[in-house]
Amino acid sequence: VFVAACANEYMPQEPENLIPEDKFIEMIVDIHIADAVLSNEQMHDVNLADTTKSYYNFVFNKHQVSRYDFNENMKYYTAQTARFEKMYASVIDKLEVKAAEATEKAKEKK
């Protein structure tokens, strides 16, 4: 409750380059996918710092959004707790669909 109250007291201004919710959700989905790949690569002793930067830059370039704009939008959306919770529920739904699709493709290859 305290965290939610603090979040409501600090409300950053809308970013100059506001990323629409649907696009921001897709970016978060892509970042989670990149994180999953990075987690797997970490087990293989890959140079994680360079690889992480490369994967994240790929996501930013794919969506034509700078890291700065992404971070400013993250501050803006996360300060609106209820709104961000709904957005994140969409992220989870999309990730579950992608996981199911990947599982189905893997079954087809066998």
Side-chain angles (χ1 to χ4, degrees):
V1 177
F2 176 73
V3 173
C6 289
N8 289 333
E9 287 179 20
Y10 169 72
M11 181 57 178
Q13 291 185 346
E14 183 176 295
E16 186 176 319
N17 294 318
L18 180 67
I19 302 169
E21 279 187 34
D22 57 339
K23 183 174 182 174
F24 197 70
I25 288 167
E26 290 300 325
M27 289 186 73
I28 295 173
V29 167
D30 287 344
I31 286 174
H32 277 297
I33 292 169
D35 285 342
V37 172
L38 288 165
S39 176
N40 186 46
E41 289 185 0
Q42 183 177 13
M43 290 185 270
H44 300 355
D45 292 330
V46 174
N47 182 346
L48 202 55
D50 289 341
T51 306
T52 300
K53 185 176 181 180
S54 175
Y55 276 54
Y56 280 31
N57 284 339
F58 175 82
V59 172
F60 298 138
N61 289 334
K62 174 183 175 185
H63 294 279
Q64 299 178 331
V65 171
S66 72
R67 180 181 296 266
Y68 175 82
D69 286 339
F70 177 82
N71 289 337
E72 290 300 301
N73 277 267
M74 181 63 83
K75 290 176 199 172
Y76 175 72
Y77 284 126
T78 56
Q80 302 170 60
T81 309
R83 182 179 188 183
F84 191 71
E85 285 176 357
K86 288 179 185 174
M87 291 170 67
Y88 209 80
S90 255
V91 169
I92 292 168
D93 290 344
K94 289 177 182 291
L95 287 169
E96 288 173 347
V97 167
K98 288 183 181 287
E101 289 171 351
T103 300
E104 194 60 36
K105 284 183 184 179
K107 286 179 183 177
E108 290 173 4
K109 288 185 178 182
K110 289 183 178 179

